[in-house]
Amino acid sequence: MSKKVLIVGGVAGGASAAARIRRLDESANIIVFEKGPHASFSNCCLPYHLSGQIENHEDLVLMTPDKFFNQYNINIRIFNEVLSIDRENKKITVKNVVTGKTYDETYDKLILSPGANAIVPPIEGIENAKTFVVKNVVDISRLNQFIKSKGSKNISVVGAGFIGMEVAENLKEAGYNVNLIEAANQVMRTFDEDMVQILHKELYDQGINLILGDKVTKFENSDIILASGRKIESDAVVMAIGVKPEIKLAKECGLEIGETGALKVDQNYKTIDKDIYAVGDAIEVTNAISKKIQHLPLAGPAQKQARAVADHIYKIPVSNTGYIGSSCIKVFDYNAACTGLTEEQCNRLGIKHESVYVIPQDKVGLMPNNNHIHFKLVFEVPTGKVLGAQSIGKGNVDKRVDIVATLIKMGGTIDDLRDLELCYAPPFGTAKDAVNHAALVALNIMQGTFKQVHVSDVRKLVEEKAYIIDVREKDEFEEGHLISAVNIPLSEIRNRLDEIPKDKPVYLHCRSAQRSYNASVALGHLGFDNIYNISGSFLGICFYEYFTDKVENRLPIVTDYNFN
């Protein structure tokens, strides 16, 4: 007898589960319920409709119900909202939102993939503001039509996570004045504070009015009043604070809700009911590194979960290794990618760790269009186990983070990362790739070859009048340097040892920390034991300091910035 499988929600998780079940069982009766007008649309591409990169919002729809039926013999019922689940009698009650008619549908197996809802807090005056969210094709079409038809000029985006950043960029590309407001002190909490300054600079340089550390407290029509008292004029407001898992159906039928507020499932994505599974943004998962429970609303994991559910229904073994949260984003001319744990997360979890920040080239320097890669590697001490990576640059950064993500899932160490053999040709990379480079620096730290301080420490060092040596050549130094630095080029340092104190710490830097590393090792051999290399060096310092200097009108610690 063929199985009858009902699926609530037809986007990434639901559509993937339906397609996989059909491939496993041609006789299965598969019905997918979607309360909106579209199933299987590209929610990750929604912001790109605002800039016109995806001109027609209907192009965001990947599969129509007719295509699903003709190609897969899957019954997609759009405009059909599931109202309740009767677990005892294994049936659901559904409402056709067009006709208002309700009906029941029985199931052998039920898969919940209802997704998550945008968080819109009850802020004073919000009922009179022109606010929008970006969850589906209807939402993005509504926003785009409004701002075009009303001749909008000033648009505010509240929240600087993935959606907020992408919406802000695409609105700016479309010619609007954009305010990006974030209550935290940085955008993109999946990156550490030292790395994310690169993105802050790019947003600032591209004309985004980036407001950090200030919270929306009130609306006056669509104008925003911040906690600081500042008023932000807005013709429209996009709420992108975050998402909350859609658990109403699950909760009402007695399924267990987990510690994150999302639906609790076992290793096979099965709920406490043996015939009900759940996937996607509505569930919580296990972090593969920390072993902690987390809510991870990403499309990639949702599709993996959907396949696993289909396999488990048909008694195909499922291996659930947990998730590490790999992701990437484009921010104007920069690309950014991350995986695993940040330093901030390691601190919060009490994981003893260290990190390195290197800035190698993404391809051979003689090749056209070569760019710097800002690459940060986080690893456990003393095991050397790789915990996470972050990479930002104008070139191919996602490849490097994907390499580390693969290594993390295999339980790899910095020794393993050092030993990886990767593709090389001058147009693609370097013989010692950025990830190998980072691993070698990490091994040097672990082995005590040299000591380091981070770019986030440099302002304090300057203010405390620490002894800082810039080992770049004189012409480089003159183009811009730390205001308190002494210029002793690497080519001269062995002949000027009498200028270097032995009775206090000495901090070295160059442009990207390679020459200063060589200098620190040499000085170590020559009897100096108080030498520290500045991780990230002058490039990293400039990127780290720039945005805050500009928005706070702060006195720079450099005579001039250098980003090349």
Side-chain angles (χ1 to χ4, degrees):
M1 184 176 177
S2 62
K3 284 185 174 67
K4 184 177 182 182
V5 182
L6 305 185
I7 301 173
V8 180
V11 192
S16 297
R20 174 63 174 169
I21 290 170
R22 175 56 71 225
R23 290 193 294 272
L24 294 173
D25 184 359
E26 184 60 30
S27 67
N29 181 9
I30 307 167
I31 308 174
V32 180
F33 301 89
E34 177 57 56
K35 64 182 177 182
H38 305 109
S40 189
F41 59 86
S42 180
N43 49 1
C44 296
C45 287
L46 294 175
Y48 298 93
H49 175 53
L50 299 171
S51 61
Q53 291 185 61
I54 299 174
E55 187 173 351
N56 188 340
H57 71 271
E58 290 294 340
D59 291 339
L60 293 161
V61 181
L62 303 177
M63 291 284 284
T64 65
D66 285 345
K67 281 187 178 180
F68 256 112
F69 186 79
N70 292 334
Q71 293 185 19
Y72 298 104
N73 191 24
I74 293 172
N75 184 356
I76 303 283
R77 297 181 185 176
I78 57 174
F79 293 118
N80 275 252
E81 180 181 8
V82 178
L83 300 177
S84 62
I85 301 169
D86 181 349
R87 290 168 52 196
E88 184 177 353
N89 296 300
K90 295 180 66 173
K91 68 179 181 180
I92 62 174
T93 298
V94 186
K95 178 182 179 180
N96 184 309
V97 298
V98 176
T99 66
K101 179 182 177 182
T102 61
Y103 62 96
D104 292 338
E105 200 75 62
T106 60
Y107 62 84
D108 295 312
K109 300 292 180 182
L110 175 64
I111 301 172
L112 302 179
S113 183
N117 295 317
I119 297 172
V120 182
I123 301 169
E124 181 183 348
I126 196 170
E127 65 278 2
N128 297 319
K130 301 299 183 184
T131 59
F132 300 83
V133 297
V134 177
K135 181 185 175 183
N136 55 42
V137 177
V138 173
D139 290 336
I140 203 69
S141 176
R142 176 173 165 262
L143 169 60
N144 201 38
Q145 289 177 15
F146 176 86
I147 59 180
K148 285 184 174 179
S149 65
K150 300 297 182 181
S152 302
K153 294 182 179 179
N154 302 311
I155 304 175
S156 293
V157 180
V158 181
F162 283 98
I163 294 296
M165 292 278 281
E166 290 170 343
V167 167
E169 176 187 2
N170 281 277
L171 287 170
K172 187 64 183 178
E173 296 279 13
Y176 299 100
N177 300 322
V178 180
N179 307 298
L180 180 57
I181 303 166
E182 171 57 55
N185 290 321
Q186 68 169 79
V187 304
M188 304 291 295
R189 296 307 294 266
T190 52
F191 292 86
D192 278 314
E193 184 257 359
D194 53 354
M195 293 292 287
V196 85
Q197 300 302 329
I198 303 163
L199 301 183
H200 290 172
K201 177 185 182 298
E202 180 67 1
L203 291 165
Y204 178 88
D205 288 348
Q206 294 289 346
I208 296 284
N209 180 24
L210 177 59
I211 301 169
L212 300 174
D214 215 346
K215 187 177 181 181
V216 178
T217 59
K218 183 180 178 181
F219 287 95
E220 291 180 356
N221 294 318
S222 292
D223 293 343
I224 294 171
I225 309 299
L226 299 174
S228 63
R230 185 177 176 184
K231 183 176 181 179
I232 307 299
E233 294 185 1
S234 308
D235 299 313
V237 179
V238 181
M239 301 298 291
I241 295 173
V243 296
K244 184 177 182 180
E246 174 54 77
I247 58 170
K248 183 174 181 291
L249 273 177
K251 195 171 183 180
E252 288 178 349
C253 74
L255 297 179
E256 187 175 358
I257 306 303
E259 60 190 74
T260 67
L263 186 53
K264 186 174 183 177
V265 294
D266 68 7
Q267 69 275 11
N268 301 306
Y269 308 103
K270 188 167 59 178
T271 68
I272 56 171
D273 188 310
K274 65 181 179 63
D275 295 313
I276 302 179
Y277 296 80
V279 300
D281 295 357
I283 71 169
E284 60 183 23
V285 297
T286 300
N287 185 287
I289 307 169
S290 68
K291 309 306 178 186
K292 301 292 185 181
I293 299 300
Q294 67 180 109
H295 181 227
L296 189 68
L298 294 172
Q303 293 199 352
K304 292 179 178 67
Q305 295 154 16
R307 183 183 179 95
V309 165
D311 287 355
H312 191 259
I313 289 173
Y314 287 88
K315 303 189 184 308
I316 298 172
V318 173
S319 177
N320 186 339
T321 59
Y323 296 88
I324 60 176
S326 303
S327 55
C328 59
I329 188 171
K330 173 186 169 294
V331 183
F332 293 102
D333 292 337
Y334 277 81
N335 306 313
C338 57
T339 191
L341 300 180
T342 63
E343 277 203 278
E344 192 275 333
Q345 288 173 312
C346 289
N347 290 332
R348 195 168 65 243
L349 292 165
I351 298 173
K352 190 176 180 183
H353 70 283
E354 184 56 271
S355 72
V356 295
Y357 172 18
V358 298
I359 314 178
Q361 303 284 121
D362 66 343
K363 60 189 69 165
V364 171
L366 293 173
M367 299 301 295
N369 301 318
N370 71 86
N371 294 287
H372 294 113
I373 293 180
H374 297 258
F375 189 89
K376 182 172 185 176
L377 184 69
V378 183
F379 54 96
E380 188 177 49
V381 174
T383 65
K385 182 179 179 181
V386 177
L387 300 175
Q390 301 157 47
S391 187
I392 301 176
K394 295 183 178 180
N396 193 330
V397 302
D398 55 324
K399 166 190 171 183
R400 274 77 187 193
V401 169
D402 282 342
I403 291 166
V404 179
T406 303
L407 194 78
I408 290 174
K409 289 301 290 266
M410 301 297 178
T413 67
I414 52 178
D415 270 303
D416 298 318
L417 190 58
R418 170 195 59 83
D419 197 44
L420 286 183
E421 297 181 53
L422 304 171
C423 294
Y424 161 64
F428 297 98
T430 55
K432 180 172 65 181
D433 192 78
V435 297
N436 303 124
H437 184 162
L440 288 166
V441 176
L443 283 164
N444 283 332
I445 291 293
M446 287 281 281
Q447 293 162 3
T449 304
F450 74 101
K451 295 176 285 190
Q452 68 172 358
V453 295
H454 299 284
V455 290
S456 54
D457 300 320
V458 174
R459 175 167 283 271
K460 184 178 179 183
L461 293 176
V462 171
E463 292 170 348
E464 294 176 348
K465 302 188 185 308
Y467 196 87
I468 301 173
I469 300 176
D470 185 332
V471 305
R472 295 177 299 162
E473 295 302 312
K474 185 178 179 180
D475 60 330
E476 296 176 89
F477 182 83
E478 290 175 348
E479 289 178 358
H481 57 267
L482 287 170
I483 57 176
S484 61
V486 176
N487 184 213
I488 307 179
L490 176 62
S491 58
E492 302 175 14
I493 203 163
R494 291 171 179 82
N495 298 320
R496 296 173 62 179
L497 296 180
D498 57 341
E499 299 178 39
I500 304 173
K502 286 190 174 182
D503 59 348
K504 61 181 178 180
V506 176
Y507 302 91
L508 307 184
H509 79 81
C510 57
R511 187 189 68 156
S512 62
Q514 183 64 48
R515 283 174 286 176
S516 55
Y517 160 70
N518 288 324
S520 68
V521 172
L523 291 174
H525 290 315
L526 293 169
F528 292 84
D529 59 4
N530 56 355
I531 304 297
Y532 294 83
N533 194 22
I534 297 175
S535 177
S537 265
F538 196 66
L539 277 176
I541 293 166
C542 290
F543 276 100
Y544 183 79
E545 293 286 320
Y546 179 85
F547 173 76
T548 307
D549 287 351
K550 293 297 183 183
V551 298
E552 294 185 2
N553 197 26
R554 185 176 66 175
L555 184 66
I557 60 172
V558 297
T559 60
D560 199 3
Y561 304 99
N562 187 334
F563 303 110
N564 298 312

